[in-house]
Amino acid sequence: MPFTALGLLPPLAHAAGAQGYAEPTPVQAEAIPAVLAGRDLRASAQTGSGKTAAYALPLLQKLLAGHNASARDLPALVLVPTRELAAQVGDTLREFARALPRPLRIAVAFGGVSINPQLMALRGGADVMVATPGRLLDLIDHNALRLGALSTLVLDEADRLLDLGFADELQRILGLLPARRQTLLFSATFPSAIEALAATVLRDPLRIDVPSEPATAPDIAQRAIEVDTPRRTQLLARLVRDEGWARVLVFVATKHAAEIVADKLRKAGLEAEPFHGVLSQGKRSQVLADFKASRVQVVVATDLAARGIDVVQLPAVVNYDLPRSSVDHVHRIGRTGRAGERGVAVSFITENDEAHFRLIEKRQGAQVPREQVAGFEPAPRQALNPQAEAGTGGIKGKRPSKKDKLRAAAAAAAAKTGD
Ligand code: AMP
């Protein structure tokens, strides 16, 4: 089905083609006509489903038809949880907007950098702003913009907005919006807090549930490799070489571990960089640009920072440390195999991880065969307790708490510093 069949103007349909999109993804096929028709959306869509274009394309088309009452009144707002996602959504909007017959002003704002250039950029007003909640409120407090005449609100990765503690900011922002507006809510998961949010912000929404399994799902092969904790870095270096991965995103539990592992990989002769929240925005942008341009082969990242990294043709993701939750696991492995490309997600299973990994497998309804790599076979492991061995029920209470895992990861990283 061509993009024009969804009601998109030819220049926008053409712009999608120019991005290499041969045809709409399922979420795009459902969302685009509904957004053009003015409906609210409640879309459960994973990262990699093409959700950004699903709202970006019809949003731009609608903005083209509208006009601002005053320069300070913002017509459309996309709220996102992280700076990286803000930058990425801004890039997508700008790319598509270049195809339009009249220029639209697209503003991007996030914290961690000076507010002044963002204030300057808003001087002539904006047609659409992509922002993280805290910085948006700062801009409003500076009288740089108003939300009272907003016609479209997009909440992108709404579950992460709440996970990252933006509930209060979100409530304040919602309080500034007019009651009559279009709201599009995208979330990978719908825990009760998101259901409650959806119930208050959406009006008769179209429900879109893009199944995570079927033919349209990213083509991701999962592997689970048993290895002893202190040998993970060597194994990683070996895999990067032997598997011929042009780029690999490695997830670790802490900023400290990101630094240490990247450093060791560099010493092993690989182009590796850490990526975490303590790095300056400039450094983070540089690492991403280098990664995209293949100047860096391995990025070692924490979950928070890695959110929103979108590198086309990312062949591999490695869970050096397991994610804390199965939701994080979905986000992590969704970084590879995007939009129809093949990808592999490798999880290192240390002596402490088996029960936790089983829980992740259970939640995603998948079983990943355990492997060992020659030369990296783990030392014989103690038998797990019988209930955990049975793989049902008994894991609860035996599984380390988040704090336990963080402590263990920090201890492991500290131990590795010394080796
Ligand atoms: P998203 O789910 O928005 O993060 O998109 C994931 C990736 O899919 C991005 O790299 C997009 O450029 C790409 N993409 C989006 N829509 C399509 C499409 N219709 N065909 C092929 N790739 C797409």
Side-chain angles (χ1 to χ4, degrees):
M1 182 209 309
F3 276 93
T4 39
L6 304 175
L8 284 179
L9 293 170
L12 281 173
H14 188 257
Q19 289 290 305
Y21 305 178
E23 57 174 37
T25 65
V27 66
Q28 290 162 1
E30 285 196 72
I32 291 171
V35 176
L36 290 173
R39 283 198 72 175
D40 281 5
L41 286 190
R42 176 207 180 279
S44 128
Q46 309 281 348
T47 193
S49 60
K51 65 183 170 56
T52 315
Y55 65 78
L57 288 165
L59 181 62
L60 290 170
Q61 181 156 330
K62 296 191 80 175
L63 288 170
L64 198 60
H67 61 276
N68 284 24
S70 117
R72 275 202 293 151
D73 283 316
L74 186 71
L77 170 65
V78 182
L79 272 182
V80 295
T82 62
R83 328 164 186 200
E84 279 73 27
L85 190 59
Q88 197 177 296
V89 170
D91 287 348
T92 303
L93 283 165
R94 288 195 178 115
E95 196 54 51
F96 288 141
R98 288 200 311 175
L100 295 172
R102 142 173 116 75
L104 290 176
R105 289 155 307 173
I106 294 154
V108 176
F110 43 76
V113 293
S114 163
I115 197 169
N116 293 330
Q118 297 172 3
L119 287 168
M120 295 287 283
L122 280 172
R123 275 198 169 161
D127 294 291
V128 52
M129 160 153 266
V130 187
T132 51
R135 181 50 62 93
L136 177 76
L137 287 168
D138 290 344
L139 290 167
I140 292 170
D141 291 342
H142 279 80
N143 282 323
L145 58 104
R146 290 186 300 231
L147 300 181
L150 194 93
S151 24
T152 309
L153 169 70
V154 181
L155 297 172
D156 194 356
E157 302 198 349
D159 48 355
R160 293 301 281 196
L161 275 169
L162 295 191
D163 281 355
L164 296 179
F166 285 126
D168 291 346
E169 284 89 346
L170 198 54
Q171 285 312 321
R172 225 193 112 195
I173 292 165
L174 292 173
L176 300 172
L177 303 180
R180 253 180 72 91
R181 60 164 199 265
Q182 183 178 27
T183 307
L184 316 174
L185 184 147
F186 289 82
S187 197
T189 58
F190 277 80
S192 56
I194 295 293
E195 290 293 3
L197 178 70
T200 54
V201 299
L202 301 176
R203 219 186 270 180
D204 183 29
L206 174 71
R207 258 184 91 123
I208 301 179
D209 290 300
V210 178
S212 46
E213 267 325 290
T216 54
D219 190 2
I220 300 171
Q222 287 200 60
R223 296 175 61 188
I225 303 181
E226 294 176 330
V227 59
D228 286 334
T229 302
R231 303 207 62 204
R232 287 175 299 173
T233 311
Q234 272 174 291
L235 174 59
L236 178 59
R238 160 81 79 86
L239 286 174
V240 172
R241 293 212 167 89
D242 287 3
E243 302 287 330
W245 295 324
R247 290 192 195 90
V248 51
L249 180 58
V250 177
F251 287 96
V252 291
T254 63
K255 294 160 191 154
H256 184 63
E259 292 284 346
I260 302 284
V261 174
D263 191 47
K264 292 200 167 179
L265 292 175
R266 270 199 302 267
K267 285 182 180 140
L270 292 163
E271 292 298 331
E273 288 289 342
F275 192 77
H276 55 70
V278 172
L279 298 176
S280 70
Q281 186 56 31
K283 174 70 182 165
R284 285 160 70 169
S285 304
Q286 183 62 50
V287 172
L288 275 191
D290 286 345
F291 197 35
K292 286 184 183 172
S294 297
R295 288 186 291 268
V296 164
Q297 189 180 9
V298 189
V299 167
V300 188
T302 55
D303 278 296
L304 178 59
R307 188 87 187 139
I309 291 184
D310 178 19
V311 180
V312 180
Q313 287 169 345
L314 184 55
V317 162
V318 173
N319 289 322
Y320 184 100
D321 290 313
L322 286 185
R324 272 165 259 156
S325 71
S326 53
V327 173
D328 283 337
H329 188 67
V330 169
H331 286 306
R332 284 185 179 188
I333 69 175
R335 304 285 129 195
T336 183
R338 309 199 95 189
E341 289 153 12
R342 290 190 71 93
V344 60
V346 176
S347 296
F348 286 171
I349 313 294
T350 70
E351 55 281 15
N352 302 318
D353 292 330
E354 184 57 37
H356 185 49
F357 193 66
R358 281 190 196 190
L359 199 77
I360 290 173
E361 286 180 300
K362 201 166 135 192
R363 295 253 165 87
Q364 50 171 19
Q367 276 202 329
V368 187
R370 306 293 186 268
E371 314 169 28
Q372 298 186 350
V373 171
F376 291 89
E377 294 87 352
R381 293 178 177 180
Q382 286 182 338
L384 290 165
N385 73 71
Q387 276 180 315
E389 206 52 77
T392 51
I395 292 167
K396 200 159 183 276
K398 294 290 175 197
R399 187 162 63 98
S401 70
K402 276 186 191 173
K403 276 192 182 157
D404 289 342
K405 284 196 70 65
L406 283 173
R407 267 188 226 113
K416 291 178 64 54
T417 328
D419 68 23

